[in-house]
Amino acid sequence: MQVGRLKVETTSTLTAADFLPLTQSNAQRFVETFSLQISGQVARFRLPSDITQDVVQETLIRALRGLPKFRGDSKLSTWIYRISYREGLRAVERWKRHRDRNRPLNPEIDFNSDEADAAEVAGVQDDVQKVRRAMQQLPDNQRLALGYHYLDGLGVVEIAELMGSTSNTIKSWLKRGRDRLRELTEIEV
C-alpha cells in the first residue's frame, strides 16, 4: 500500500517466506514492519513504558528466532500477536510480583497511583477519554479482546487462537466488555 511517498506493508498478507532467508536486511524489514503493531498490542497490558519497550524487543527477538521454523498453520501476523500476547502476560506477572514486593509500609500511600494522570484528564469530557478510562476498568480478557477486535481488526476466530480460548468465549468477552463500556461511559459504543 502506498501512503504519500511512504510504502507501507500490510501485515495481514505477509508470510514468513517474505522475510526468509533471514538476512540482516530482511530482519530489519521485519522489525520495521511489525514493531508498531506489537507496541500497540503490548501497550494494552498497561505496563510502564520501559517494561513495554522490553516486551516489544523480546517479542521481536523471539519471532525472528522462530521465523525459520514457522509452519504457517496461521497467518504470520496472528503468530506474532500470539508471541507478544504471551510475552505481555509474562511481563505483567513479573511486574506484579515486583510491585507487590515493593509495596509501601503505609497502605494509604500508593506510590504506584496514576492520580496525577487522572487529575489531568478529569476535566476532559470527550468520549475518547471516557472510553479510555472505562477500558482501564475492564478485566484483562475483555479489554484485550476488545482491543484486538476493534483496534486491530482481528476476527473472533483469530482472537480465540491468539488468546488460547474458544470462539464462544471470545464472543462472550466482547459482549460483556461492550456492555460494561456502555455502563461506564453512558455513550453508545
Side-chain angles (χ1 to χ4, degrees):
M1 170 191 333
Q2 189 86 15
V3 180
R5 291 186 290 183
L6 180 66
K7 184 177 179 187
V8 179
E9 294 185 81
T10 57
T11 59
S12 62
T13 58
L14 294 173
T15 65
D18 294 325
F19 300 99
L20 295 174
L22 201 53
T23 62
Q24 186 172 352
S25 63
N26 280 345
Q28 180 64 33
R29 191 166 59 86
F30 182 89
V31 168
E32 290 170 357
T33 301
F34 290 102
S35 290
L36 190 59
Q37 287 182 315
I38 294 169
S39 296
Q41 179 186 9
V42 173
R44 292 188 196 109
F45 283 99
R46 300 181 292 188
L47 294 164
S49 62
D50 57 332
I51 295 174
T52 298
Q53 291 171 355
D54 291 345
V55 172
V56 171
Q57 288 177 0
E58 187 62 32
T59 299
L60 288 166
I61 290 168
R62 286 182 184 267
L64 282 168
R65 284 183 182 154
L67 193 60
K69 298 176 201 150
F70 177 64
R71 295 184 316 238
D73 294 341
S74 63
K75 291 193 298 187
L76 179 63
S77 58
T78 302
W79 178 71
I80 293 169
Y81 270 126
R82 182 82 176 147
I83 294 169
S84 63
Y85 175 73
R86 285 193 312 264
E87 288 301 315
L89 290 177
R90 282 188 197 111
V92 166
E93 288 304 313
R94 284 191 307 266
W95 183 64
K96 283 181 180 178
R97 280 194 308 267
H98 174 75
R99 186 189 63 193
D100 291 344
R101 271 195 311 256
N102 296 316
R103 286 260 183 233
L105 296 176
N106 183 348
E108 293 181 21
I109 301 173
D110 185 4
F111 294 103
N112 294 320
S113 173
D114 290 332
E115 287 180 12
D117 293 342
E120 279 180 31
V121 295
V124 180
Q125 295 299 320
D126 68 357
D127 292 342
V128 173
Q129 291 298 332
K130 282 184 181 180
V131 171
R132 284 185 180 154
R133 285 192 302 263
M135 288 285 286
Q136 297 297 320
Q137 296 177 38
L138 294 177
D140 289 344
N141 57 5
Q142 292 174 12
R143 187 183 69 258
L144 291 169
L146 285 168
Y148 291 142
H149 188 67
Y150 291 106
L151 299 176
D152 296 330
L154 296 181
V156 171
V157 173
E158 288 178 300
I159 298 169
E161 181 181 324
L162 174 67
M163 295 181 76
S165 193
T166 66
S167 294
N168 286 337
T169 300
I170 299 301
K171 289 176 187 176
S172 173
W173 289 345
L174 288 170
K175 169 131 180 47
R176 289 179 183 165
R178 284 190 302 264
D179 291 348
R180 184 69 179 134
L181 281 177
R182 281 188 193 101
E183 290 173 16
L184 292 169
T185 60
E186 299 176 10
I187 62 171
E188 193 62 29
V189 178

